[in-house]
Amino acid sequence: EFAADPAAVDDATLEETAYRLSDVGSPNRTLNVSAAGQTRQVTVSNERRAYNRTVTVVPGVEGDFARFAVYTTPAVSVAGQSINPVGDWSNGRLVRQLVESTSGLSAIDFASNRSVEFLGAERTVSTFTATQSVGGMETNVTIHLTSAEHEGDYVIATTVHPERVNEQSRVDALLRGLEHPAA
């Protein structure tokens, strides 16, 4: 069994950005790993923290449409073989694997990269545009995604928000306010 340490945004940053904790989870995954002619069952325990912020999309339409999530998954290997492919995935693959499948997104297109310092180093944050279907209506959204190996875990942070709302400065603040491992 391998377990990731949680990552979380510190309270001062949450207050500054008006984001609030909305969900906590510890999803597990069981894998069969073959090494040295033997197959073993390996359980990987991940951590997830989700945050949201109420935004006004257009006058009269307000809701928790700005969402930030941070996932941690162990960077583990068995008999010298990496069993967690996340470390080899590009931000484009991560957005398709982790965000597209869980958020009703389609037409995801890469827009740009920027650098933000968090978890002790300068890191690349990729921005994507997409279409999201919510309640039968489609809207354009912006996605920010980054990943890093830190303290034996892969830390993946992603934000999805309406395109009409500029969240970049808040996203960058949330990333700078990440703590891993979280208390």
Side-chain angles (χ1 to χ4, degrees):
E1 287 191 30
F2 298 94
D5 287 318
V9 179
D10 68 55
D11 290 339
T13 302
L14 292 176
E15 187 172 322
E16 170 193 337
T17 60
Y19 275 78
R20 62 196 169 284
L21 184 64
S22 60
D23 191 36
V24 174
S26 300
N28 294 331
R29 186 169 178 207
T30 302
L31 309 165
N32 289 319
V33 177
S34 296
Q38 295 184 357
T39 299
R40 298 275 188 234
Q41 204 171 57
V42 176
T43 300
V44 177
S45 297
N46 304 298
E47 291 289 332
R48 178 182 45 79
R49 301 287 182 274
Y51 304 84
N52 57 35
R53 183 174 91 81
T54 303
V55 297
T56 301
V57 180
V58 293
V61 179
E62 181 178 281
D64 291 338
F65 301 127
R67 295 177 312 280
F68 176 84
V70 60
Y71 306 88
T72 54
T73 184
V76 297
S77 55
V78 174
Q81 175 187 346
S82 176
I83 63 167
N84 193 336
V86 169
D88 295 328
W89 290 355
S90 67
N91 283 352
R93 176 137 187 218
L94 284 168
V95 80
R96 284 173 176 76
Q97 291 290 125
L98 298 177
V99 181
E100 182 178 44
S101 62
T102 61
S103 300
L105 297 172
S106 61
I108 295 175
D109 289 314
F110 173 79
S112 64
N113 283 328
R114 67 182 184 282
S115 291
V116 177
E117 186 170 326
F118 69 98
L119 297 178
E122 198 73 17
R123 316 235 186 226
T124 299
V125 179
S126 297
T127 303
F128 301 84
T129 59
T131 302
Q132 185 172 35
S133 182
V134 178
M137 291 179 27
E138 287 198 352
T139 187
N140 293 330
V141 296
T142 302
I143 304 164
H144 306 263
L145 186 133
T146 187
S147 64
E149 187 171 354
H150 186 260
E151 302 287 327
D153 291 330
Y154 297 116
V155 179
I156 304 156
T158 184
T159 306
V160 178
H161 62 84
E163 185 179 72
R164 295 177 184 219
V165 179
N166 185 349
E167 286 292 286
Q168 183 170 317
S169 64
R170 282 186 169 90
V171 170
D172 293 352
L174 290 165
L175 291 171
R176 286 189 299 272
L178 272 180
E179 297 176 338
H180 176 258

